[in-house]
Amino acid sequence: MVEPIFDYQFRLILIGDSTVGKSSLLKYFTDGKFSEVCDPTVGVDFYARLLEVEQGVRVKLQLWDTAGQERFRSITRSYYRNSVGVLIVFDLTKRRSYENVDSWLKEARAHIEPYEAVYMVVGQKADLEDQRQVTHREARLYAETNSLRYIETSAFSGHNVEEAFQCLARDIHQKLQDGSIKVEEGWDGVKNGFSRPKESFHVMEGEPEGGGCC
């Protein structure tokens, strides 16, 4: 008899303009703390974490952090196809980064099709309320118009960081259960998990538990 290390593997990609806080968001999610020094991403960086999407169901998230600069876009595009989840991140204090969300969404959809993916718009740096240039209502209406989730986060305070990834992972898992997303040969967006003998199974130190969804 065996128990799973994780049931599924989901591959997620973070996209958006440079300096909006994608790397800080990922580092807080994977390390549990704000990184004071965060160098610009060159090409693509990789992170991973396990989480529970429902009681007894664990997934491994492969998290791909992409560079926002135009000179790296050709590298970024090559990672779209094998992604099942997309977080489109903008900076709440930089309106231009919000105005570019639509072009990021269209580019991602164009490269991921014909595969199904789940998209989320993330307004980063919510702790800088006095510098806000995009209202919650405006961004939420854009997301709703495009049938997307919207959430505001702060990689400085940790506000909604866990919730953002939990929500996206749960939405993917739900689509997997209802059949709109499938494990497919030749596509790395979703893969089945791995198992090991029950007697050697133990809870990983620091493994996150399920949290509230946005």
Side-chain angles (χ1 to χ4, degrees):
M1 184 176 180
V2 296
E3 290 195 22
I5 299 174
F6 53 91
D7 298 273
Y8 300 102
Q9 176 179 283
F10 298 161
R11 184 164 169 166
L12 312 184
I13 188 170
L14 277 75
I15 59 176
D17 287 4
S18 181
T19 73
V20 297
K22 300 186 296 296
S23 299
S24 296
L25 193 67
L26 275 175
K27 288 180 179 179
Y28 194 100
F29 179 61
T30 54
D31 297 341
K33 60 184 179 180
F34 176 69
S35 177
E36 293 288 348
V37 178
C38 201
D39 296 327
T41 302
V42 177
V44 176
D45 282 342
F46 171 77
Y47 299 79
R49 212 191 98 172
L50 289 173
L51 57 74
E52 193 171 69
V53 291
E54 65 176 49
Q55 185 65 38
V57 179
R58 296 190 298 169
V59 299
K60 177 182 178 181
L61 300 183
Q62 277 196 349
L63 304 155
W64 297 90
D65 179 21
T66 65
Q69 299 99 318
E70 182 62 37
R71 67 180 183 275
F72 297 120
R73 293 289 279 273
S74 61
I75 300 174
T76 299
R77 292 185 188 107
S78 68
Y79 285 83
Y80 282 129
R81 180 180 177 274
N82 283 305
S83 299
V84 71
V86 182
L87 294 94
I88 309 169
V89 185
F90 73 94
D91 182 345
L92 287 161
T93 71
K94 294 181 180 178
R95 185 165 185 83
R96 181 62 181 272
S97 69
Y98 168 71
E99 293 171 347
N100 289 336
V101 165
D102 197 57
S103 64
W104 284 105
L105 174 62
K106 290 176 179 175
E107 180 175 284
R109 282 178 167 166
H111 285 82
I112 291 174
E113 290 179 353
Y115 298 104
E116 180 77 15
V118 179
Y119 300 83
M120 173 184 281
V121 179
V122 180
Q124 243 283 72
K125 305 184 184 180
D127 56 291
L128 302 177
E129 185 63 32
D130 59 336
Q131 300 177 41
R132 179 187 286 266
Q133 295 182 4
V134 181
T135 67
H136 183 278
R137 181 176 183 274
E138 180 183 13
R140 178 175 55 80
L141 287 175
Y142 168 81
E144 289 177 353
T145 299
N146 289 277
S147 302
L148 312 173
R149 277 194 184 274
Y150 175 63
I151 191 169
E152 295 187 347
T153 62
S154 168
F156 178 76
S157 69
H159 175 67
N160 276 344
V161 174
E162 185 79 14
E163 288 79 1
F165 291 94
Q166 281 278 359
C167 283
L168 191 62
R170 288 179 179 177
D171 285 350
I172 295 167
H173 181 252
Q174 182 58 51
K175 286 182 175 290
L176 193 61
Q177 298 310 297
D178 66 29
S180 54
I181 289 177
K182 299 179 177 66
V183 178
E184 300 186 48
E185 186 71 29
W187 182 57
D188 292 337
V190 179
K191 289 186 174 182
N192 287 314
F194 299 93
S195 300
R196 60 183 165 188
K198 184 176 182 180
E199 58 269 19
S200 68
F201 177 81
H202 65 279
V203 177
M204 294 177 66
E205 182 179 354
E207 179 188 333
E209 297 181 353
C213 194
C214 52

